[in-house]
């Protein structure tokens, strides 16, 4: 499987059962499927991932699907939007197709039809990718995650050294660090530098495993294993065969399955739910957590034996505030990445640089990325000035000292919203777009006492 065969899909539907169904039915090693239950969640997701195909319910509680579609298409050029409609909304769907939706399916839908529609959409995506690759001399453009780790500091050079050492060998790796420090980036780099690079990297966030179905999700099940198991099904472990299984937020793995996972790691064999037969599997394991697993062990929430098995090789990512010297290089990288077409990359003013260097970055590199992205949108003549910074950065940064350093979060949020509104001359749809929330949410938050 090459990179160009990978498809990122977002399912936006307020009905959990539909999200689950689509996620399950379409699961395949070459598909990365994310779900969102509302417009807000969808925006949060598209800020993190470059989706190729979005399955979008026309009717959402907090947003109008057709309006959302327009915004998605703006944020993700080339994205294929497939609308999910109820009977009676077909008319709207047809309208939407005129406005650039690629297809629609009606609820309740049959899964073969779904499969066909998605594959067709993906053919468009692939054609577009190939055209772009030809244009840029073989270089694929802007992926959600960088192919390498950016930034140099004592700690990051150490991380790179560890990655180079551990990638080619089979041992499991435990990647630790606060949220947004780059754990997913590291996992991808390890996989890419290993002999398994051409095989699938299957990522699963353990916090999203469904309690009753954990075993079936991980190990698969046979037909009739439980009510609802009408077909036998592969689990994530089988999907990762010969490749890598990255279990994110491993601290969330239910205690009940921890012993089983340990056994699988030790024997490289497993059983599907409802089956006696042992199956062999060849998988390399990566784990990540932003919790202190040692503490989880002490608190009795995590098995000590599994902890030791995971912790053979630990790569720790320091919070960004403890490696501030990387900020300028990350800044330059993000500015280059966010450059539009042939325009020059944006620059930042001295004051902005000061704020960036002084801020505490609770959201780490992800926060830095988001701040810069917003800055680029608000830049004037390719210069990002402090006007384009969120209030909390100004507060921590340039030393104008006038602001209360202990403002409640809500207040900071409100200030920031007002500031953005001011910037777009009160245009609320523009502001909500910049802020990544629906207009309704924006009103609600501004009106909150
Ligand atoms: N060293 C780095 N070089 C380039 N980009 C980075 C680096 N570290 C993080 N990023 C970017 O920052 C964002 C967050 O990184 P990532 O998702 O890997 O963090 P995480 O530690 O897995 O966070 P979480 O605990 O929330 O899952 C991503 O957009 C990623 O591309
Ligand atoms: Mg992560």
């Amino acid at each position: 499987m090459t990179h160009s065969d990978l498809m990122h899909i977002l399912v936006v539907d307020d009905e959990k059962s539909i999200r689950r169904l689509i996620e399950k039915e379409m699961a395949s090693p070459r598909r990365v499927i994310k779900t969102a239950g509302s417009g807000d969640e969808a925006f949060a997701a598209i800020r993190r991932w470059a989706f190729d195909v979005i399955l979008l319910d026309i009717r959402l509680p907090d947003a109008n699907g057709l309006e959302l579609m327009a915004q998605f298409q703006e944020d993700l050029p080339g994205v294929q939007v497939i609308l999910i409609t109820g009977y009676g909304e077909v008319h709207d769907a047809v309208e939407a197709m005129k406005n650039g939706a690629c297809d629609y399916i009606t609820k309740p839908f049959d899964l073969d039809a779904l499969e066909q529609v998605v594959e067709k959409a993906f053919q468009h995506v692939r054609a577009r990718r190939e055209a772009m690759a030809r244009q840029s001399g073989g270089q694929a453009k802007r992926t959600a995650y960088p192919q390498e780790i950016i930034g140099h500091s004592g700690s990051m050079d150490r991380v790179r050294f560890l990655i180079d050492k551990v990638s080619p060998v089979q041992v499991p790796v435990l990647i630790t660090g606060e949220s947004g420090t780059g754990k997913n980036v590291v996992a991808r780099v390890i996989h890419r530098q290993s002999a398994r690079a051409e095989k699938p990297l299957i990522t699963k966030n353990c916090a999203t495993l469904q309690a009753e179905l954990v075993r079936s999700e991980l190990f698969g099940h046979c037909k009739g294993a439980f009510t609802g198991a009408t077909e036998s099904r592969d689990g994530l472990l089988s999907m990762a065969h010969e490749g890598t299984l990255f279990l994110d937020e491993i601290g969330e793995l239910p205690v009940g399955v921890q012993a089983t996972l340990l056994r699988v790691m030790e024997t490289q064999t497993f059983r599907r739910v409802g089956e006696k037969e042992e199956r062999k599997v060849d998988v390399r394991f990566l784990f990540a957590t932003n919790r202190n697993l040692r503490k989880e062990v002490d608190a009795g929430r995590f098995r000590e034996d599994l902890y030791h098995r995971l912790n053979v090789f630990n790569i720790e990512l320091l919070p960004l505030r403890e490696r501030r010297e990387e900020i300028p290089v990350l800044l330059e990288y993000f500015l280059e990445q966010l450059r539009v077409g042939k325009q020059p990359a944006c620059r930042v003013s001295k004051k902005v640089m000061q704020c960036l260097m002084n801020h505490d970055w609770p959201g780490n590199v992800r926060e830095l990325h988001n701040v810069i992205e917003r800055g680029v949108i608000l830049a004037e003549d390719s210069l990002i000035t402090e006007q384009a910074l969120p209030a909390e950065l100004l507060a921590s940064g340039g030393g104008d000292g006038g602001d209360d350093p202990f403002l409640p979060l809500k207040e900071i949020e409100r200030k920031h919203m007002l500031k953005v509104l001011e910037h777009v001359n009160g245009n609320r749809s523009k502001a909500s777009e910049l802020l990544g929330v629906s207009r309704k949410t924006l009103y609600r938050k501004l009106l909150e006492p």
Side-chain angles (χ1 to χ4, degrees):
M1 187 171 63
T2 61
H3 168 73
S4 66
D5 284 321
L6 246 194
M7 163 158 51
H8 286 79
I9 304 176
L10 176 64
V11 182
V12 189
D13 199 307
D14 56 331
E15 274 175 75
K16 190 168 177 198
S17 57
I18 299 251
R19 296 199 299 272
R20 280 274 153 209
L21 178 75
I22 298 181
E23 200 178 11
K24 281 246 171 294
E25 291 300 325
M26 298 210 310
S28 125
R30 63 183 190 86
R31 293 179 183 155
V32 180
I33 305 173
K34 305 277 163 190
T35 60
S38 64
D40 280 355
E41 275 179 38
F43 277 112
I46 68 171
R47 267 180 274 136
R48 297 195 55 177
W49 299 83
F51 292 101
D52 304 301
V53 175
I54 300 182
L55 285 150
L56 174 63
D57 190 357
I58 284 199
R59 224 163 268 239
L60 289 169
D62 68 335
N64 174 325
L66 298 180
E67 277 178 33
L68 278 185
M69 177 178 82
Q71 296 186 25
F72 291 159
Q73 287 171 327
E74 217 176 290
D75 288 349
L76 294 170
V79 70
Q80 303 291 312
V81 179
I82 298 166
L83 295 167
I84 307 174
T85 70
Y87 282 129
E89 289 168 328
V90 175
H91 178 74
D92 294 0
V94 173
E95 252 332 279
M97 301 252 320
K98 289 190 203 146
N99 292 322
C102 95
D103 217 329
Y104 68 92
I105 43 173
T106 39
K107 274 196 267 198
F109 42 79
D110 94 9
L111 292 163
D112 287 337
L114 174 70
E115 184 69 36
Q116 275 179 17
V117 168
V118 168
E119 270 313 308
K120 200 175 91 198
F122 190 55
Q123 279 169 16
H124 288 289
V125 171
R126 196 180 289 133
R128 188 167 180 276
R129 273 186 195 167
E130 281 164 12
M132 279 177 50
R134 275 196 301 277
Q135 272 175 17
S136 57
Q139 286 243 311
K141 281 286 250 191
R142 219 180 139 184
T143 49
Y145 283 105
Q147 296 293 319
E148 55 184 338
I149 290 163
I150 313 296
H152 280 280
S153 63
S155 74
M156 234 22 191
D157 291 346
R158 169 96 186 133
V159 164
R160 248 188 227 97
F161 169 81
L162 292 175
I163 291 176
D164 291 346
K165 285 282 178 215
V166 83
S167 296
V169 288
Q170 259 289 34
V171 297
V173 180
L174 176 64
I175 308 162
T176 50
E178 286 181 9
S179 180
T181 46
K183 298 184 293 296
N184 282 54
V185 177
V186 168
R188 294 168 77 95
V189 173
I190 292 177
H191 174 71
R192 222 170 49 86
Q193 292 192 6
S194 75
R196 297 165 180 259
E198 293 298 319
K199 303 288 179 185
L201 164 67
I202 303 290
T203 298
K204 182 71 189 176
N205 183 332
C206 295
T208 68
L209 285 164
Q210 275 184 293
E212 319 85 73
L213 293 174
V214 185
R215 280 171 197 279
S216 151
E217 283 199 60
L218 288 174
F219 311 121
H221 62 253
C222 65
K223 191 171 167 176
F226 45 85
T227 1
T230 52
E231 298 284 329
S232 42
R233 170 83 31 88
D234 268 346
L236 296 166
L237 197 63
S238 310
M239 292 181 197
H241 183 54
E242 297 187 320
T244 306
L245 181 59
F246 172 37
L247 294 177
D248 204 352
E249 296 196 31
I250 186 67
E252 306 281 334
L253 189 72
V255 178
V257 211
Q258 290 175 9
T260 318
L261 177 63
L262 178 64
R263 230 191 103 252
V264 171
M265 289 178 70
E266 278 172 349
T267 61
Q268 296 265 327
T269 61
F270 71 103
R271 282 197 201 103
R272 283 180 168 186
V273 176
E275 240 175 39
K276 287 229 168 62
E277 185 200 338
E278 294 258 353
R279 293 165 183 260
K280 274 227 138 301
V281 72
D282 168 19
V283 166
R284 199 247 179 105
F285 286 93
L286 302 178
F287 305 95
T289 179
N290 52 23
R291 291 199 191 173
N292 183 334
L293 273 192
R294 181 70 249 176
K295 278 200 185 137
E296 296 295 300
V297 171
D298 293 342
R301 284 189 294 265
F302 205 85
R303 286 182 69 110
E304 175 134 29
D305 48 6
L306 180 60
Y307 169 70
H308 289 301
R309 188 75 188 102
L310 303 189
N311 201 18
V312 175
F313 198 99
N314 176 214
I315 295 183
E316 192 187 350
L317 295 168
L318 290 186
L320 187 58
R321 63 188 164 279
E322 289 175 32
R323 44 178 164 115
R324 290 178 201 272
E325 61 271 41
E326 280 179 31
I327 293 172
V329 179
L330 284 166
L331 169 70
E332 199 177 323
Y333 169 76
F334 290 137
L335 287 175
E336 181 58 34
Q337 204 193 22
L338 293 164
R339 200 158 61 96
V340 188
K342 292 206 162 77
Q343 284 176 29
C346 288
R347 296 156 293 127
V348 304
S349 72
K350 244 193 179 149
K351 171 89 188 266
V352 167
M353 195 64 210
Q354 233 175 356
C355 293
L356 297 180
M357 293 305 283
N358 287 338
H359 186 53
D360 258 351
W361 301 111
N364 295 295
V365 185
R366 180 180 297 116
E367 186 186 359
L368 176 66
H369 176 267
N370 292 346
V371 164
I372 295 169
E373 190 164 35
R374 187 169 290 157
V376 167
I377 295 167
L378 296 173
E380 308 244 340
D381 293 331
S382 299
L383 182 69
I384 301 175
T385 64
E386 72 255 34
Q387 316 288 339
L389 291 184
E392 68 271 21
L393 256 102
L394 285 172
S396 63
D400 55 25
D403 279 338
D404 175 2
F406 300 113
L407 273 185
L409 270 179
K410 242 184 169 168
E411 204 40 50
I412 291 179
E413 189 177 74
R414 184 211 289 283
K415 276 194 165 181
H416 178 59
M417 286 180 157
L418 287 173
K419 188 162 196 160
V420 171
L421 261 174
E422 206 180 291
H423 262 280
V424 294
N425 295 324
N427 179 336
R428 276 177 268 201
S429 40
K430 194 97 208 151
S432 62
E433 202 178 309
L434 289 173
L435 290 162
V437 299
S438 68
R439 261 182 296 177
K440 216 159 146 188
T441 310
L442 183 67
Y443 296 141
R444 184 169 50 73
K445 293 204 181 250
L446 283 173
L447 292 175
E448 252 166 17

